[in-house]
């Protein structure tokens, strides 16, 4: 098959998803257009230079509805002959966009794609589109549905993670993110977002709380305890699926869970002929992609089987991977990944993650691929793996190799 290479990866800073957040004045289409324009300008893309724009977005309703990808193309400076495809694989939408683009290139369906995603969580509320698994009683009962926060607490209970472990991971995420920004590690990829007058709106991740410590987190109440224990109670539903659990240990709160933010990201994927035609040097090869379904009740364990699958498919061993990006949807997700593969925490989320900087649902998968690539280059390492847990029980993963 034809090799698929990453030529560029860019993202917006992540803004607080609330009315006074720095990015709140921008629609998802407007922010997407700014990111697409950056890819065009940075790489000199003129005319019908790419086959398609594949764009992930989770809450596809209102101003994020319709084919947001096509709307973003038309709002940008890209050629109108470039179409657009909007996709939704929940939290892995941005990664799935990149993986789909890579596999299209590998299969010969075009020389290049722009892939990524967006989520303006402060303008279009998470869950406002409805979801059958949550609102259809028949499906919810069949799948033993519980909200994601309860699922994260089930993982903690099932695999023995404590509140102290989760809080320590969160404090470290904040420390690593602050250090990464202080050392300019994101400079290659993070765009300065400006208004129509050219004035800076946001040039760095806005959500971070670098002074966070164990004492501050220890004062926070568990966020999902009341939801789990109220009558009839989601804890009871979970224990019908997991009857060996005597109780659910509620350890998660706002400080050790991912932040709700606005953001967008894009990755330029193409074959060797595309790079030659445009005078571009590839930065990495997308070596393998994977997706898998998992138990919809515990829901967030997908990174483990997705990683097992992608390693099998690629012929690699866990020891062959130099660096990992595991989306910090909740602390227990990363703790479970580290436990399952016995990987050194110093090789996981080197520059912090979504607990510190936030999780703009449709964009995060593309963000962590770009972050992984930048860090492989900074450390002069070869192979990296990015993976996410996904709502309703799925997992996705991507392996990239520097060239």
């Amino acid at each position: 098959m034809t090799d698929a290479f990453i030529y560029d990866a860019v993202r917006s800073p992540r803004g607080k998803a609330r009315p006074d957040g720095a990015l709140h004045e921008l629609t998802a289409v407007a922010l997407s257009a700014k990111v697409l324009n950056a890819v065009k300008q940075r790489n000199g893309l003129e005319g019908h230079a790419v086959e398609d724009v594949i764009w992930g977005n989770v809450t596809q309703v209102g101003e994020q509805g319709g084919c947001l990808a096509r709307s973003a193309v038309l709002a940008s400076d890209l050629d109108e002959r470039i179409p657009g495809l909007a996709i939704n694989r929940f939290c892995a939408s941005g990664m799935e966009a990149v993986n789909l683009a890579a596999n299209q290139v590998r299969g010969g369906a075009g020389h290049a794609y722009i892939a990524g995603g967006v989520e303006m969580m402060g303008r279009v509320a998470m869950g406002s589109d409805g979801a059958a698994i949550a609102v259809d009683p028949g499906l919810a009962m069949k799948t033993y549905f519980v909200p994601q926060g309860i699922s994260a607490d089930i993982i903690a209970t099932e695999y023995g993670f404590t509140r102290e472990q989760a809080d320590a991971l969160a404090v470290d995420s904040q420390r690593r993110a602050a250090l990464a920004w202080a050392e300019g590690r994101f400079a290659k990829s993070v765009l300065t977002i400006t208004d129509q007058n050219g004035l800076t709106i946001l040039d760095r991740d806005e959500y971070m709380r670098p002074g966070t410590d164990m004492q501050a987190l220890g004062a926070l109440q568990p966020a999902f305890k009341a939801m789990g224990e109220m009558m009839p109670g989601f804890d009871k539903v979970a224990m019908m699926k997991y009857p060996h659990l005597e109780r659910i240990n509620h350890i998660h709160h706002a400080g050790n869970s991912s932040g709700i933010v606005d953001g967008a990201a894009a990755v330029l994927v193409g074959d060797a002929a595309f790079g030659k035609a445009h005078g571009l040097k590839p930065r990495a090869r997308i070596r393998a992609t994977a997706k898998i379904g998992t138990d919809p009740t515990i829901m967030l364990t997908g990174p483990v089987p997705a990683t097992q699958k992608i390693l099998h498919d690629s012929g690699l061993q866990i020891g062959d991977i130099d660096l990992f990006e595991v989306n910090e949807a909740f602390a227990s997700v990363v703790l479970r990944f580290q436990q399952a593969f016995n990987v050194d925490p110093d090789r996981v989320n080197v520059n912090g993650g979504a607990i510190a900087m936030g999780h703009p649902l449709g964009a995060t998968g593309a963000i962590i691929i770009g972050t992984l690539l930048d860090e492989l280059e900074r450390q002069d390492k070869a192979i990296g793996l990015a993976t996410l847990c996904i709502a309703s029980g799925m997992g996705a993963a991507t392996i990239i190799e520097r060239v």
Side-chain angles (χ1 to χ4, degrees), residues 290-292 301-314 316-318 321 324-326 337 340-341 343 385-388 395-399:
K291 61 269 188 184
I292 198 164
T301 55
V304 173
T307 296
Q308 292 168 335
K309 185 177 189 299
I310 202 169
L311 291 174
H312 176 269
D313 292 349
S314 64
L316 295 170
Q317 304 293 323
I318 198 72
I321 309 298
F324 301 87
E325 283 289 324
V326 183
F337 183 89
F341 296 105
V343 295
L385 184 150
T387 184
L388 303 93
T398 307
I399 292 177

Side-chain angles (χ1 to χ4, degrees), residues 24-252:
H24 186 73
E25 65 186 79
L26 297 173
T27 65
V29 169
L31 185 61
S32 297
K34 288 179 179 293
V35 173
L36 293 176
N37 285 342
V39 175
K40 178 182 187 294
Q41 294 160 7
R42 285 162 57 117
N43 299 281
L45 304 182
E46 298 298 333
H48 197 173
V50 299
E51 187 76 17
D52 203 355
V53 169
I54 306 176
W55 215 236
N57 176 244
V58 175
T59 310
Q60 298 187 0
V61 66
E63 63 189 45
Q64 289 187 167
C67 183
L68 191 151
R70 178 58 176 166
S71 298
V73 169
L74 294 175
S76 76
D77 297 331
L78 291 176
D79 193 297
E80 66 179 13
R81 291 173 294 174
I82 298 170
L85 171 66
I87 65 167
N88 183 359
R89 200 187 290 279
F90 294 128
C91 298
S93 296
M95 174 176 285
E96 187 61 29
V98 175
N99 290 354
L100 180 56
N103 290 328
Q104 293 275 72
V105 170
R106 292 168 76 187
H111 293 289
Y113 290 75
I114 299 174
V118 67
E119 206 78 35
M120 298 302 292
M121 301 180 74
R123 296 178 63 94
V124 183
M126 179 172 55
S128 58
D129 55 339
I133 196 168
V135 302
D136 182 326
L139 182 59
M141 292 174 64
K142 179 178 184 292
T143 57
Y144 297 90
F145 169 80
V146 298
Q148 285 191 27
I150 304 292
S151 298
D153 287 337
I154 299 172
I155 294 173
T157 308
E158 177 75 1
Y159 295 101
F161 303 126
T162 65
R163 166 75 179 259
E164 289 71 25
Q165 287 176 294
D167 286 357
L169 187 145
V171 169
D172 204 40
S173 180
Q174 296 282 357
R175 179 189 64 79
R176 293 182 184 198
L179 179 62
W181 271 106
E183 294 187 350
R185 297 183 191 177
F186 300 130
K188 182 183 294 185
S189 300
V190 175
L191 310 173
T192 295
I193 303 300
T194 59
D195 64 15
Q196 60 186 4
N197 298 313
L199 300 176
T200 297
I201 296 174
L202 188 63
D203 61 2
R204 63 186 287 114
D205 292 321
E206 186 181 28
Y207 183 80
M208 296 187 300
R209 297 177 176 87
T212 299
D213 57 23
M214 292 292 287
Q215 183 177 3
L217 295 186
L220 299 177
Q221 295 298 311
F224 309 104
K225 183 178 175 67
M227 181 188 298
E229 295 179 352
M230 68 180 183
M231 294 302 291
F234 285 111
D235 284 4
K236 298 291 187 183
V237 175
M239 288 187 288
M240 290 173 65
K241 188 72 171 285
Y242 293 87
H244 59 282
L245 300 180
E246 295 182 0
R247 57 183 291 273
I248 305 298
N249 183 21
H250 293 286
I251 71 166
H252 289 92

